[in-house]
Amino acid sequence: MGTTNTFYFIALLSCSAVLSLKPEITEGPENLAIVDGSEAVLKCRVFGDPKPIVKWMKDYAEVTGRKYNITADGDLVIHYASYPDSGNYQCYAMNKFGAASASVLLDVKKRTIITDRPENYEVAAGSSATFRCNANADDSLELQIIWLKDGQQIDFENQPRFHMSYDYSLQISDTTELDAGEYTCIAKTAIDEARAKATLTVQDKPNPPQLEGVKCNERTATLHWHPMGDNRAPILRYSIQYNTTFTPDTWYTAGVNVPAFYTYWTVQLSPWANYTFRVSAWNKIGPSTPSSHSEVCSTQPDVPYKNPDNVVGEGSDPTNMVISWEKMPQIEHNGPGFYYLVTWRPNIDGQPWVEEQVHDWQQTQYVVTNTPTFMPYKIKVTAVNCKGKSNVTPMEVIGWSGEDVPLQAPQNFTLVQVTTGTTALLNWNPVPPESVQGHFKGYKIQTWVDGEEDSLKEILVKADASSALVSEFKPFKKNNVRILVYNGRFIGPPSDTLSFHTPEDKPGTVKSFEAYPIGSSAMLLKWEKPIDENGVLTGYNIYYQKVTGTSLGPTQERKKEIDPKFDHAKLAGLEPNTRYRIEIRAKTKAGEGDKYYVEQSTKSVEKVKPDIPQFETSTLPAKEGTAHILVRWIPSLDGHAGTHFVAWYKLKGHPDWSKTNEVTDDDYVILTGLEPGQVYEVKLTAHDGEYFSASEIKDVDTTIGVVVLPRRLRQAAGLPVSLRPRRAQRPLP
């Protein structure tokens, strides 16, 4: 019994060992997401005996060869995976004892690409620098932009000069030398990243040169130096400055464009001065701070090398001559005991020179007294010191003693011809030059109209002229004009005054001009007459053009004349919701004046009734037993006035109304052929398209309220040109 049980136990163990050799997947594949073009490894580690055969299926079709490779461990490796490789994969492990399988999902996503790469950047210290970076990633992945500086991530919270904007750009404000380096943009997702690098070069002004020394000679000094660094912007040139004990706080430039490859330079020196020098380096950012200053170079005295500049002689009154010049700075004195030697004589052969010494080197003038009026002199000023006079011959200039008031007015001042409303030709006899008592500058023609003497106009005419065409007169007025001589300081006595009337001319612009839209196709125009009428106004012309963007359409003219007494008119026949340029020109017999224009838009078509119209009336007497009523529409400028109107009228108490035609081009109409001494009922209807509104009814008595209309209105209405009001006939009591 014991032997039998032992055999059974051994057999059972053998059977168990055989069953355990069936294939088993010990490390199965996991779902994997990768980006396009990368390598995918799908794990499938198996156990079994004999060793199982591993196959891979995609969507139940076996994958093998080409970019697919199954490793000895059973893993599936896909080289350069692309979007079509996405899908479900199955790993099958098989031997003679059985099979095992596992599934996995491979998702191939779009690779992250940097689309806007940062570029190398050069910037001056203190300026701002900007690196741009933008990227595209798979829509299902979250994109993150990270910036590195020299391999270390930038801490934006603790570096306030560094800022990443909404478009991922890196902005660095107030750059310093320490900001120079390599900047890396990382576009990162959960499964991949892309990088792009750029270099920031922060350029600064050069370091100050090292001044090695100065060699002092009798009239020159040679400086030696070497550069101490250009701070990433090449040195372009050097400049050399000096100061002296005369002006220790002021540095002057001795050489401004010393070539960059030079490390020495020779400077010319003046006598009797103590010099110190310094050097600055320049690059495209700017100049370095100056080097330390040199040792002192001292020079021995000598005579002056120049004389004062800009020597002038002119009088401040009729009995003197002021000789003036520019002072010479101490660096030009060249020695102690400096003074100016001022010399003059009348510009007449044989006259002796007179001289005076001016020892104050800051003084710039000398006054010669008791001179004849306006006499020419020869003048020169020489620089002198203890070593002697300047080694340059002083320049002789001609000066003049003082001017006085001219003695004569031009004679025979005559009006030759009035050519236009503003222009007339004048002539005169020239004055003798000696009577001018000064530099003969020319003539002044003065003109004014009565009552405006304080605002006269002056026209300057050359000294050699004896006639002038003057265009400063006022049209259609009595003009006054006179002529006088002037020199450098005074004007002479005036000539006799000429007075003459000028003809009409074109008027000036109107004082103001406004356009108000009324309805959808009309505007009410209002203006003030010109300040300069320049004649008798005969009317106004209105022109208009459509405005489209910046373009103007053809010019059209309002056909009906506007009486000069009017200050308003209606412009009709316009297009709705359209902008117009409208101009007005006043007229005289001489023609149209200058334009004054405004731009305004008409209103849109409104499918509503116009506002209730307002109007005023006046009665007019006439001959042959008829009366007339003037009806003037007063359109509202704020609401919806309509575009035109119709006037209605009837005898009070009569049932039937009469009406005028539609009044489109004017804001008034005259009711003619009425019975005098009667009361008429009058009303208006304002229209815009098919919509209209009626006014209140007014009673108008044709025996009262007589108004004399302008001649043009009477002609337009067919009324007698000359109207005389007559007394109303009333029954006797």
Side-chain angles (χ1 to χ4, degrees):
M1 183 66 178
T3 302
T4 303
N5 290 340
T6 300
F7 174 78
Y8 177 77
F9 180 71
I10 293 172
L12 184 60
L13 288 176
S14 299
C15 182
S16 269
V18 171
L19 289 174
S20 68
L21 297 181
K22 179 180 177 181
E24 179 182 350
I25 298 176
T26 59
E27 187 176 350
E30 297 180 354
N31 292 342
L32 181 64
I34 61 171
V35 294
D36 178 39
S38 61
E39 183 178 83
V41 178
L42 305 179
K43 289 186 177 181
C44 188
R45 305 294 172 86
V46 300
F47 174 79
D49 190 18
K51 184 176 181 179
I53 298 172
V54 177
K55 292 186 178 181
W56 280 90
M57 311 286 285
K58 179 179 184 288
D59 297 333
Y60 306 102
E62 185 176 358
V63 294
T64 184
R66 295 181 300 161
K67 62 180 179 179
Y68 299 104
N69 179 41
I70 300 175
T71 68
D73 293 332
D75 296 345
L76 175 63
V77 179
I78 306 174
H79 302 287
Y80 304 107
S82 59
Y83 301 119
D85 295 322
S86 297
N88 288 301
Y89 289 80
Q90 299 84 36
C91 169
Y92 289 94
M94 297 170 291
N95 63 14
K96 64 182 180 179
F97 296 108
S101 67
S103 297
V104 65
L105 177 64
L106 176 64
D107 187 5
V108 180
K109 298 181 181 291
K110 183 171 70 173
R111 177 179 293 275
T112 301
I113 299 174
I114 293 179
T115 57
D116 192 2
R117 305 176 68 84
E119 297 180 353
N120 293 340
Y121 206 92
E122 287 186 357
V123 65
S127 301
S128 297
T130 300
F131 288 110
R132 302 197 176 280
C133 185
N134 217 327
N136 283 337
D138 194 278
D139 293 339
S140 65
L141 299 174
E142 182 180 352
L143 176 65
Q144 183 183 11
I145 299 293
I146 299 172
W147 282 97
L148 310 180
K149 195 247 182 204
D150 295 332
Q152 299 296 317
Q153 186 169 344
I154 296 173
D155 185 352
F156 291 103
E157 290 187 3
N158 293 320
Q159 292 182 285
R161 291 188 302 105
F162 289 71
H163 172 70
M164 186 165 65
S165 63
Y166 71 93
D167 64 351
Y168 306 119
S169 296
L170 174 62
Q171 297 173 346
I172 309 170
S173 61
D174 195 19
T175 54
T176 68
E177 183 180 355
L178 296 177
D179 297 328
E182 184 180 76
Y183 288 81
T184 304
C185 167
I186 303 176
K188 188 174 183 180
T189 67
I191 59 176
D192 78 328
E193 68 177 42
R195 295 183 175 223
K197 298 179 180 180
T199 300
L200 174 63
T201 302
V202 180
Q203 300 174 322
D204 207 345
K205 300 173 183 177
N207 296 325
Q210 177 67 48
L211 187 59
E212 296 177 346
V214 58
K215 182 179 180 181
C216 302
N217 301 310
E218 184 177 354
R219 290 290 181 265
T220 62
T222 301
L223 286 77
H224 292 266
W225 67 87
H226 66 266
M228 296 299 290
D230 61 11
N231 289 329
R232 293 164 296 282
I235 293 174
L236 302 175
R237 60 185 174 91
Y238 295 96
S239 63
I240 298 172
Q241 294 179 310
Y242 70 90
N243 71 353
T244 69
T245 50
F246 297 128
T247 55
D249 296 328
T250 303
W251 289 86
Y252 301 95
T253 300
V256 70
N257 284 314
V258 178
F261 52 85
Y262 276 40
T263 57
Y264 67 92
W265 193 254
T266 300
V267 179
Q268 297 295 320
L269 306 180
S270 295
W272 196 58
N274 299 317
Y275 287 87
T276 55
F277 300 92
R278 65 187 188 184
V279 182
S280 297
W282 293 70
N283 62 14
K284 71 177 185 179
I285 306 303
S288 70
T289 55
S291 68
S292 58
H293 60 74
S294 70
E295 298 175 354
V296 176
C297 282
S298 298
T299 56
Q300 296 302 309
D302 199 355
V303 298
Y305 291 166
K306 61 168 293 187
N307 295 302
D309 295 324
N310 296 328
V311 176
V312 177
E314 59 182 10
S316 60
D317 66 49
T319 62
N320 73 11
M321 178 177 61
V322 180
I323 301 174
S324 62
W325 58 88
E326 288 186 6
K327 72 179 178 182
M328 292 176 58
Q330 289 176 293
I331 193 66
E332 296 177 350
H333 294 181
N334 290 1
F338 178 85
Y339 64 91
Y340 303 105
L341 181 63
V342 183
T343 313
W344 70 94
R345 70 174 175 84
N347 189 20
I348 301 172
D349 292 341
Q351 291 292 315
W353 289 94
V354 181
E355 62 182 35
E356 282 288 341
Q357 296 180 5
V358 177
H359 287 272
D360 182 357
W361 69 271
Q362 298 198 73
Q363 186 171 327
T364 58
Q365 67 176 31
Y366 179 81
V367 180
V368 181
T369 58
N370 299 319
T371 60
T373 298
F374 197 61
M375 181 176 180
Y377 287 82
K378 283 190 174 182
I379 302 168
K380 55 186 178 182
V381 181
T382 307
V384 186
N385 65 17
C386 66
K387 289 287 187 177
K389 293 183 179 180
S390 164
N391 61 6
V392 178
T393 302
M395 181 179 297
E396 293 183 5
V397 299
I398 300 298
W400 295 81
S401 57
E403 299 175 285
D404 206 344
V405 178
L407 300 174
Q408 293 185 21
Q411 300 299 307
N412 197 25
F413 186 45
T414 307
L415 172 65
V416 178
Q417 183 182 7
V418 177
T419 56
T420 69
T422 58
T423 305
L425 179 62
L426 307 168
N427 67 8
W428 59 91
N429 293 339
V431 298
E434 62 274 11
S435 71
V436 179
Q437 297 202 106
H439 297 287
F440 193 176
K441 299 294 185 180
Y443 299 93
K444 289 186 178 182
I445 297 176
Q446 298 177 336
T447 178
W448 69 97
V449 296
D450 290 346
E452 299 181 9
E453 292 81 3
D454 293 338
S455 58
L456 55 79
K457 297 179 182 178
E458 285 192 341
I459 301 93
L460 303 183
V461 182
K462 293 181 179 179
D464 60 355
S466 60
S467 65
L469 187 65
V470 178
S471 300
E472 299 294 332
F473 298 114
K474 289 197 173 183
F476 205 57
K477 288 185 180 295
K478 177 187 174 184
N479 287 266
N480 306 299
V481 62
R482 65 190 179 193
I483 188 170
L484 40 81
V485 172
Y486 72 104
N487 60 28
R489 292 177 61 85
F490 301 100
I491 60 173
S495 69
D496 294 336
T497 299
L498 299 177
S499 297
F500 58 93
H501 285 84
T502 48
E504 290 186 89
D505 203 351
K506 297 177 181 178
T509 61
V510 296
K511 185 177 179 181
S512 66
F513 185 39
E514 298 288 343
Y516 303 94
I518 51 175
S520 59
S521 62
M523 294 204 194
L524 183 64
L525 312 178
K526 292 187 174 184
W527 61 87
E528 292 182 81
K529 69 179 182 177
I531 296 175
D532 298 320
E533 298 184 24
N534 296 341
V536 178
L537 294 181
T538 59
Y540 297 92
N541 286 346
I542 303 292
Y543 303 93
Y544 57 100
Q545 297 168 275
K546 285 176 61 175
V547 179
T548 306
T550 57
S551 300
L552 296 174
T555 300
Q556 302 179 68
E557 181 179 2
R558 184 183 186 275
K559 296 179 181 179
K560 202 165 184 180
E561 282 193 352
I562 301 175
D563 190 276
K565 295 184 178 63
F566 279 20
D567 61 0
H568 64 274
K570 185 182 170 193
L571 179 61
L574 306 177
E575 297 180 18
N577 198 28
T578 302
R579 191 164 187 81
Y580 285 89
R581 174 175 290 189
I582 307 166
E583 69 179 57
I584 184 171
R585 295 174 184 259
K587 296 190 301 180
T588 64
K589 289 181 180 179
E592 288 185 343
D594 294 331
K595 68 181 177 183
Y596 189 131
Y597 74 85
V598 296
E599 289 189 5
Q600 182 61 274
S601 298
T602 53
K603 295 183 178 180
S604 301
V605 175
E606 297 185 43
K607 295 185 177 181
V608 295
K609 288 184 177 183
D611 298 338
I612 295 174
Q614 304 294 318
F615 67 98
E616 60 186 19
T617 63
S618 301
T619 58
L620 309 171
K623 294 181 179 180
E624 300 178 356
T626 60
H628 313 280
I629 298 176
L630 170 68
V631 180
R632 180 170 176 257
W633 179 37
I634 307 174
S636 168
L637 301 180
D638 297 326
H640 178 41
T643 59
H644 58 280
F645 72 96
V646 175
W648 302 73
Y649 60 99
K650 67 183 181 68
L651 278 170
K652 189 173 181 66
H654 283 226
D656 299 326
W657 288 89
S658 298
K659 68 174 183 175
T660 64
N661 294 327
E662 292 184 346
V663 182
T664 57
D665 294 330
D666 291 308
D667 62 349
Y668 70 90
V669 68
I670 298 175
L671 309 179
T672 62
L674 307 180
E675 297 182 21
Q678 299 292 330
V679 176
Y680 281 84
E681 294 180 295
V682 180
K683 66 178 180 179
L684 288 188
T685 51
H687 297 255
D688 193 352
E690 61 186 23
Y691 298 92
F692 69 92
S693 295
S695 71
E696 296 180 352
I697 298 173
K698 287 187 178 182
D699 290 346
V700 183
D701 191 338
T702 56
T703 63
I704 59 174
V706 175
V707 171
V708 178
L709 285 183
R711 183 186 187 94
R712 293 178 184 274
L713 284 183
R714 298 198 299 272
Q715 289 176 331
L719 300 176
V721 172
S722 176
L723 295 179
R724 293 184 179 177
R726 63 180 182 178
R727 184 175 299 171
Q729 299 295 318
R730 297 185 181 276
L732 294 174

